[in-house]
């Protein structure tokens, strides 16, 4: 029963870290969205797309270097490509909700725009969590993770072993 609970603990830690980075990303997203809306004449969905792109960049850094820092790093080009692909799908989901509310129902006051921007972020976040952990930031197989850890420990012990000089 212990391995199962440790797996659950890892998942909980992952969800918490994902949520922390994502929460900060939501603040970035909404902040940039409102800033762009207030300082430019861009339509609401274009302002939202700009904000989403800024948040995507912010989130990649947070996910790669904090949430998923222990995950496989061997294929960074593939990882970044998949991240951008799934982020683009999330962008469409997020801004599709805002587009539907704004142009489909005419709900375009600043408050309504922020509410539907937030709802869109929530729906897109469910997709992003699943896709990032399943396809982008893949876990190392257990055997490979142990082998990597052992090789790192071996290298560190070799570097720390004092060498004796023979007179």
């Amino acid at each position: 029963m212990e391995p199962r609970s440790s797996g659950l603990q890892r998942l909980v830690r992952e969800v918490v870290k994902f949520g922390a980075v994502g929460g900060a990303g939501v603040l970035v997203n909404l902040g940039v969205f409102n800033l762009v809306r207030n300082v430019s004449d861009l339509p609401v969905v274009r302002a939202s797309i700009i904000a989403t792109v800024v948040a995507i960049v912010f989130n990649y850094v947070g996910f790669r270097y904090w949430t998923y820092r222990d995950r496989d790093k061997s294929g960074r080009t593939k990882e970044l490509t998949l991240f951008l692909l799934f982020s683009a799908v999330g962008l469409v989901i997020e801004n599709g909700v805002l587009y539907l509310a704004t142009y489909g129902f005419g709900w375009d006051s600043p408050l309504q725009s922020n509410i539907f921007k937030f709802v869109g972020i929530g729906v897109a976040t469910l997709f992003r969590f699943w896709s990032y952990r399943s396809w982008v930031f893949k876990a190392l197989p257990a055997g490979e993770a142990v082998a990597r850890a052992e090789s790192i420990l071996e290298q560190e012990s070799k570097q720390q072993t004092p060498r004796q000089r023979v007179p």
Side-chain angles (χ1 to χ4, degrees), residues 90-164:
L91 181 143
V92 170
I93 293 168
E94 175 183 327
N95 291 291
V97 170
L98 182 61
Y99 181 90
L100 181 64
T102 303
Y103 300 109
F105 295 103
W107 297 328
D108 61 353
S109 74
L111 178 61
Q112 290 169 327
S113 294
N114 276 284
I115 289 170
F116 287 102
K117 172 86 171 145
F118 189 77
V119 169
I121 289 170
V123 174
T125 295
L126 296 173
F127 169 77
R128 288 176 177 134
F129 179 75
W130 168 80
S131 64
Y132 293 167
R133 82 180 308 265
S134 300
W135 298 98
V136 181
F137 302 107
K138 290 184 177 181
L140 288 171
E144 187 178 333
V146 170
R148 280 191 182 181
E150 288 173 347
S151 70
I152 290 169
L153 290 174
E154 272 182 37
Q155 289 173 353
E156 287 180 1
S157 68
K158 287 179 184 177
Q159 291 172 355
Q160 293 176 358
T161 305
R163 297 184 184 178
Q164 295 180 356

Side-chain angles (χ1 to χ4, degrees), residues 3-167:
R4 194 173 276 183
S5 68
S6 68
L8 179 61
Q9 289 172 344
R10 279 194 305 270
L11 179 62
V12 168
R13 277 194 305 271
E14 180 182 339
V15 169
V16 167
K17 286 181 171 184
F18 186 92
V21 171
V26 168
L27 294 177
V28 167
N29 198 333
L30 291 172
V32 171
F33 173 63
N34 285 292
L35 179 69
V36 171
R37 283 205 64 203
N38 288 319
V39 300
S40 74
D41 292 330
L42 286 176
V44 67
V45 176
R46 286 189 191 158
S48 180
I49 290 170
I50 290 169
T52 303
V53 169
V54 171
I56 286 169
V57 172
F58 175 87
N59 287 346
Y60 178 78
V61 172
F63 292 144
R64 167 42 54 214
Y65 296 105
W66 189 54
T67 305
Y68 298 113
R69 71 176 176 250
D70 60 333
R71 299 292 176 97
D72 185 15
K73 297 176 182 79
S74 60
R76 284 287 173 96
T77 303
K78 180 180 177 185
E79 172 187 285
L80 187 56
T81 302
L82 288 172
F83 181 84
L84 292 174
L85 173 72
F86 289 120
S87 293
V89 173
L91 181 143
V92 170
I93 293 168
E94 175 183 327
N95 291 291
V97 170
L98 182 61
Y99 181 90
L100 181 64
T102 303
Y103 300 109
F105 295 103
W107 297 328
D108 61 353
S109 74
L111 178 61
Q112 290 169 327
S113 294
N114 276 284
I115 289 170
F116 287 102
K117 172 86 171 145
F118 189 77
V119 169
I121 289 170
V123 174
T125 295
L126 296 173
F127 169 77
R128 288 176 177 134
F129 179 75
W130 168 80
S131 64
Y132 293 167
R133 82 180 308 265
S134 300
W135 298 98
V136 181
F137 302 107
K138 290 184 177 181
L140 288 171
E144 187 178 333
V146 170
R148 280 191 182 181
E150 288 173 347
S151 70
I152 290 169
L153 290 174
E154 272 182 37
Q155 289 173 353
E156 287 180 1
S157 68
K158 287 179 184 177
Q159 291 172 355
Q160 293 176 358
T161 305
R163 297 184 184 178
Q164 295 180 356
R165 294 183 186 232
V166 179

